Amino acid sequence: MTEFCTAERDGHLLIVTINRPERMNALHPPANFELEGIFNDFAADPDLWVAIITGAGDRAFSAGNDLRWQAEGNKLEVPATGFAGLTARFDLAKPVIAAVNGVAMGGGFEIALACDLIIASDNAKFALPEPKVGLAALAGGLHRLPRQIGVKQAMGMILTGRQVPAAEGKELGFVNEVVPAAELMAAAKRWAGLIMECSPMSIRASKESVYKGLDIANLNEAVTAKYPAVNALFKSEDLIEGPRAFAEKRKPNWTGK
Protein backbone atom coordinates (compact mmCIF):
# COMPACT_ATOMS: atom_id res chain seq x y z
CA MET A 1 0.00 0.00 0.00
CA THR A 2 1.12 3.53 -0.76
CA GLU A 3 0.49 6.49 1.54
CA PHE A 4 1.25 9.53 -0.60
CA CYS A 5 -0.06 8.47 -4.02
CA THR A 6 -2.53 6.06 -5.58
CA ALA A 7 -2.35 3.87 -8.68
CA GLU A 8 -5.50 2.66 -10.41
CA ARG A 9 -5.60 0.25 -13.35
CA ASP A 10 -8.18 0.78 -16.08
CA GLY A 11 -7.56 -1.90 -18.69
CA HIS A 12 -4.20 -1.09 -20.28
CA LEU A 13 -4.16 2.37 -18.64
CA LEU A 14 -2.59 3.26 -15.28
CA ILE A 15 -3.86 6.37 -13.48
CA VAL A 16 -1.41 7.69 -10.89
CA THR A 17 -2.55 10.37 -8.43
CA ILE A 18 -0.22 12.34 -6.16
CA ASN A 19 -2.16 12.33 -2.90
CA ARG A 20 -0.92 15.12 -0.61
CA PRO A 21 -3.61 17.75 -1.22
CA GLU A 22 -3.03 19.31 2.20
CA ARG A 23 0.46 20.24 0.93
CA MET A 24 -0.66 21.17 -2.60
CA ASN A 25 0.67 17.74 -3.67
CA ALA A 26 4.23 18.89 -2.97
CA LEU A 27 6.63 15.97 -2.91
CA HIS A 28 8.93 14.90 -0.11
CA PRO A 29 11.32 11.90 -0.27
CA PRO A 30 8.77 9.27 0.90
CA ALA A 31 6.37 10.37 -1.86
CA ASN A 32 9.11 10.41 -4.49
CA PHE A 33 10.21 6.88 -3.61
CA GLU A 34 6.60 5.64 -3.71
CA LEU A 35 6.17 7.11 -7.16
CA GLU A 36 9.44 5.58 -8.32
CA GLY A 37 8.11 2.16 -7.31
CA ILE A 38 4.84 2.74 -9.15
CA PHE A 39 6.57 3.76 -12.37
CA ASN A 40 9.07 0.90 -12.05
CA ASP A 41 6.09 -1.47 -11.96
CA PHE A 42 4.44 0.37 -14.87
CA ALA A 43 7.56 0.02 -16.99
CA ALA A 44 7.84 -3.70 -16.25
CA ASP A 45 4.16 -4.66 -16.70
CA PRO A 46 3.41 -5.80 -20.28
CA ASP A 47 -0.33 -5.29 -19.74
CA LEU A 48 0.06 -1.56 -18.98
CA TRP A 49 0.53 0.56 -22.08
CA VAL A 50 -0.11 4.20 -21.07
CA ALA A 51 -0.01 6.13 -17.78
CA ILE A 52 -1.71 9.34 -16.64
CA ILE A 53 -0.31 11.26 -13.68
CA THR A 54 -2.40 13.89 -11.88
CA GLY A 55 -2.83 15.46 -8.45
CA ALA A 56 -5.50 14.96 -5.80
CA GLY A 57 -8.01 17.77 -5.31
CA ASP A 58 -8.65 20.74 -7.58
CA ARG A 59 -5.97 23.19 -6.41
CA ALA A 60 -2.70 21.62 -7.50
CA PHE A 61 -1.08 19.08 -9.77
CA SER A 62 2.06 19.51 -7.65
CA ALA A 63 3.61 22.53 -5.97
CA GLY A 64 7.00 20.87 -6.42
CA ASN A 65 9.54 20.10 -3.74
CA ASP A 66 8.10 20.18 -0.22
CA LEU A 67 10.13 23.10 1.11
CA ARG A 68 8.41 22.85 4.49
CA TRP A 69 9.72 19.28 4.89
CA GLN A 70 13.19 20.56 4.02
CA ALA A 71 12.91 23.54 6.39
CA GLU A 72 11.92 21.18 9.22
CA GLY A 73 15.41 19.69 8.97
CA ASN A 74 14.52 16.43 7.27
CA LYS A 75 17.03 14.74 5.00
CA LEU A 76 16.57 15.55 1.32
CA GLU A 77 16.79 12.42 -0.86
CA VAL A 78 15.73 11.89 -4.46
CA PRO A 79 15.44 8.48 -6.14
CA ALA A 80 17.74 7.61 -9.03
CA THR A 81 14.81 8.06 -11.42
CA GLY A 82 14.32 11.63 -10.23
CA PHE A 83 11.42 13.69 -8.99
CA ALA A 84 8.20 11.59 -8.89
CA GLY A 85 10.26 8.74 -10.30
CA LEU A 86 10.04 10.43 -13.72
CA THR A 87 12.34 13.43 -14.20
CA ALA A 88 15.52 11.32 -14.51
CA ARG A 89 13.87 8.24 -16.06
CA PHE A 90 15.24 8.31 -19.61
CA ASP A 91 14.57 4.70 -20.63
CA LEU A 92 10.76 4.58 -20.45
CA ALA A 93 9.37 3.85 -23.92
CA LYS A 94 5.74 3.81 -22.76
CA PRO A 95 3.87 7.13 -22.98
CA VAL A 96 2.95 9.15 -19.88
CA ILE A 97 0.32 11.92 -19.90
CA ALA A 98 0.29 14.73 -17.33
CA ALA A 99 -3.26 15.79 -16.40
CA VAL A 100 -2.47 19.12 -14.77
CA ASN A 101 -5.26 20.16 -12.41
CA GLY A 102 -4.20 23.53 -11.04
CA VAL A 103 -0.76 24.61 -9.88
CA ALA A 104 2.32 22.98 -11.45
CA MET A 105 5.23 24.84 -9.88
CA GLY A 106 8.93 24.04 -9.77
CA GLY A 107 9.34 20.29 -9.49
CA GLY A 108 5.65 19.93 -10.30
CA PHE A 109 6.19 21.61 -13.67
CA GLU A 110 9.32 19.50 -14.16
CA ILE A 111 7.24 16.33 -13.69
CA ALA A 112 4.80 17.56 -16.35
CA LEU A 113 7.65 18.44 -18.73
CA ALA A 114 9.03 14.91 -18.29
CA CYS A 115 5.71 13.52 -19.57
CA ASP A 116 4.96 13.09 -23.26
CA LEU A 117 1.70 15.07 -23.31
CA ILE A 118 0.35 17.80 -21.02
CA ILE A 119 -3.42 18.19 -20.77
CA ALA A 120 -4.28 21.17 -18.57
CA SER A 121 -7.38 22.39 -16.78
CA ASP A 122 -8.25 26.00 -17.57
CA ASN A 123 -7.19 27.01 -14.04
CA ALA A 124 -3.72 25.44 -14.34
CA LYS A 125 -0.63 27.57 -13.79
CA PHE A 126 2.96 26.68 -14.63
CA ALA A 127 6.22 28.15 -13.35
CA LEU A 128 9.84 27.44 -12.49
CA PRO A 129 10.06 29.83 -9.51
CA GLU A 130 13.11 28.24 -7.88
CA PRO A 131 15.36 31.36 -8.22
CA LYS A 132 12.89 33.25 -6.00
CA VAL A 133 13.82 30.95 -3.10
CA GLY A 134 17.53 30.63 -3.87
CA LEU A 135 17.24 27.40 -5.86
CA ALA A 136 17.27 26.37 -9.54
CA ALA A 137 15.12 23.97 -11.59
CA LEU A 138 17.71 21.21 -11.69
CA ALA A 139 15.32 18.26 -12.09
CA GLY A 140 15.30 18.71 -15.86
CA GLY A 141 13.26 21.90 -16.18
CA LEU A 142 16.21 24.04 -17.30
CA HIS A 143 16.90 21.58 -20.11
CA ARG A 144 13.47 20.29 -21.12
CA LEU A 145 11.70 23.65 -21.35
CA PRO A 146 14.09 25.26 -23.91
CA ARG A 147 14.08 22.05 -25.94
CA GLN A 148 10.28 22.03 -26.00
CA ILE A 149 9.43 25.70 -26.62
CA GLY A 150 12.68 27.33 -27.77
CA VAL A 151 15.37 29.18 -25.86
CA LYS A 152 14.03 32.75 -25.78
CA GLN A 153 10.52 31.80 -24.63
CA ALA A 154 11.98 29.40 -22.06
CA MET A 155 14.38 32.01 -20.73
CA GLY A 156 11.45 34.40 -20.35
CA MET A 157 9.96 31.95 -17.87
CA ILE A 158 13.18 30.72 -16.26
CA LEU A 159 14.83 34.10 -15.57
CA THR A 160 11.66 35.65 -14.10
CA GLY A 161 10.06 32.66 -12.39
CA ARG A 162 6.76 34.04 -13.67
CA GLN A 163 3.52 32.06 -13.63
CA VAL A 164 2.12 31.06 -17.01
CA PRO A 165 -1.61 30.25 -17.28
CA ALA A 166 -2.77 27.18 -19.20
CA ALA A 167 -3.90 29.10 -22.28
CA GLU A 168 -0.49 30.73 -22.65
CA GLY A 169 1.16 27.35 -22.08
CA LYS A 170 -0.72 26.07 -25.11
CA GLU A 171 0.35 29.10 -27.15
CA LEU A 172 3.98 28.56 -26.10
CA GLY A 173 3.70 24.91 -27.11
CA PHE A 174 4.23 22.87 -23.94
CA VAL A 175 0.49 22.21 -23.37
CA ASN A 176 -1.39 19.97 -25.80
CA GLU A 177 -4.96 20.85 -24.80
CA VAL A 178 -6.76 23.08 -22.29
CA VAL A 179 -10.16 21.98 -20.98
CA PRO A 180 -12.54 23.01 -18.18
CA ALA A 181 -11.42 21.57 -14.85
CA ALA A 182 -14.42 19.23 -14.64
CA GLU A 183 -13.46 17.67 -17.99
CA LEU A 184 -9.73 17.21 -17.33
CA MET A 185 -9.57 13.48 -16.60
CA ALA A 186 -12.03 12.70 -19.40
CA ALA A 187 -9.79 14.60 -21.81
CA ALA A 188 -6.62 12.86 -20.56
CA LYS A 189 -8.36 9.47 -20.91
CA ARG A 190 -9.47 10.44 -24.43
CA TRP A 191 -5.85 11.08 -25.41
CA ALA A 192 -4.82 7.81 -23.75
CA GLY A 193 -7.57 6.00 -25.66
CA LEU A 194 -6.33 7.40 -28.98
CA ILE A 195 -2.82 6.19 -28.16
CA MET A 196 -4.11 2.75 -27.17
CA GLU A 197 -5.86 2.37 -30.54
CA CYS A 198 -2.34 2.13 -31.97
CA SER A 199 0.08 -0.75 -31.60
CA PRO A 200 1.89 -0.49 -28.25
CA MET A 201 5.04 -1.73 -29.98
CA SER A 202 4.73 1.00 -32.62
CA ILE A 203 4.13 3.64 -29.94
CA ARG A 204 7.24 2.59 -28.01
CA ALA A 205 9.34 2.52 -31.18
CA SER A 206 8.05 6.00 -32.07
CA LYS A 207 8.65 7.52 -28.63
CA GLU A 208 12.15 6.07 -28.33
CA SER A 209 13.08 7.18 -31.86
CA VAL A 210 11.90 10.75 -31.24
CA TYR A 211 13.72 11.29 -27.94
CA LYS A 212 16.93 9.43 -28.76
CA GLY A 213 16.93 10.92 -32.25
CA LEU A 214 16.74 14.45 -30.81
CA ASP A 215 20.02 13.74 -29.03
CA ILE A 216 21.72 13.27 -32.43
CA ALA A 217 22.47 16.53 -34.24
CA ASN A 218 23.06 14.95 -37.66
CA LEU A 219 19.73 14.05 -39.30
CA ASN A 220 21.14 11.18 -41.36
CA GLU A 221 22.67 9.64 -38.23
CA ALA A 222 19.42 10.10 -36.30
CA VAL A 223 17.35 8.41 -39.03
CA THR A 224 19.74 5.49 -39.46
CA ALA A 225 20.59 4.94 -35.78
CA LYS A 226 19.68 1.65 -34.08
CA TYR A 227 16.82 1.90 -31.59
CA PRO A 228 16.01 -1.13 -29.39
CA ALA A 229 12.25 -0.48 -29.44
CA VAL A 230 12.30 -0.36 -33.25
CA ASN A 231 14.13 -3.68 -33.32
CA ALA A 232 11.52 -5.10 -30.92
CA LEU A 233 8.71 -3.82 -33.17
CA PHE A 234 10.06 -5.73 -36.16
CA LYS A 235 10.11 -8.95 -34.13
CA SER A 236 6.64 -8.45 -32.67
CA GLU A 237 3.22 -10.04 -33.08
CA ASP A 238 1.81 -6.54 -33.60
CA LEU A 239 3.79 -6.22 -36.85
CA ILE A 240 1.89 -9.25 -38.21
CA GLU A 241 -1.48 -8.33 -36.69
CA GLY A 242 -1.63 -4.77 -38.07
CA PRO A 243 -1.48 -5.57 -41.82
CA ARG A 244 -3.67 -8.65 -41.28
CA ALA A 245 -6.39 -6.62 -39.56
CA PHE A 246 -6.18 -3.99 -42.33
CA ALA A 247 -6.59 -6.65 -45.03
CA GLU A 248 -9.50 -8.24 -43.16
CA LYS A 249 -11.13 -4.83 -42.59
CA ARG A 250 -11.35 -5.23 -38.82
CA LYS A 251 -9.92 -3.60 -35.71
CA PRO A 252 -6.50 -5.00 -34.78
CA ASN A 253 -6.14 -7.02 -31.61
CA TRP A 254 -2.90 -5.61 -30.26
CA THR A 255 -0.92 -7.66 -27.75
CA GLY A 256 2.01 -5.32 -27.21
CA LYS A 257 4.32 -8.27 -27.77
Side-chain angles (χ1 to χ4, degrees), residues 2 5-10 14-17 38:
T2 52
C5 56
T6 63
E8 172 196 351
R9 298 175 75 107
D10 181 4
L14 182 70
I15 301 169
V16 181
T17 304
I38 284 172

Side-chain angles (χ1 to χ4, degrees), residues 68-245:
R68 204 187 314 169
W69 165 275
Q70 196 172 339
E72 288 165 356
N74 293 295
K75 187 178 179 184
L76 187 62
E77 296 177 287
V78 180
T81 51
F83 215 62
L86 282 175
T87 60
R89 189 185 294 269
F90 296 104
D91 60 352
L92 181 61
K94 298 178 181 182
V96 181
I97 299 169
V100 178
N101 54 313
V103 168
M105 299 291 172
F109 188 22
E110 290 177 296
I111 295 166
L113 289 171
C115 296
D116 304 295
L117 303 176
I118 297 178
I119 315 303
S121 62
D122 52 12
N123 66 331
K125 289 186 170 61
F126 303 85
L128 295 175
E130 284 88 344
K132 294 187 175 187
V133 291
L135 300 170
L138 300 176
L142 298 179
H143 303 283
R144 285 190 170 99
L145 191 60
R147 281 168 166 78
Q148 292 179 20
I149 67 171
V151 174
K152 286 292 188 290
Q153 296 290 356
M155 292 301 269
M157 291 184 66
I158 290 164
L159 297 183
T160 64
R162 72 184 183 90
Q163 294 187 16
V164 169
E168 186 183 353
K170 189 170 189 300
E171 289 176 14
L172 288 170
F174 64 79
V175 171
N176 293 85
E177 184 179 2
V178 181
V179 297
E183 299 171 20
L184 177 63
M185 285 309 296
K189 288 180 180 179
R190 171 168 45 81
W191 281 90
L194 291 170
I195 293 169
M196 291 187 294
E197 288 179 12
C198 304
S199 157
M201 301 300 289
S202 298
I203 292 297
R204 291 165 205 166
S206 299
K207 173 175 172 174
E208 185 177 88
S209 296
V210 167
Y211 289 124
K212 291 193 173 179
L214 284 170
D215 290 337
I216 302 171
N218 181 278
L219 179 60
N220 182 33
E221 291 177 12
V223 171
T224 57
K226 303 299 181 188
Y227 303 105
V230 173
N231 187 48
L233 169 64
F234 281 104
K235 294 178 179 177
S236 71
E237 296 172 11
D238 283 3
L239 191 74
I240 299 166
E241 171 63 10
R244 181 181 290 161

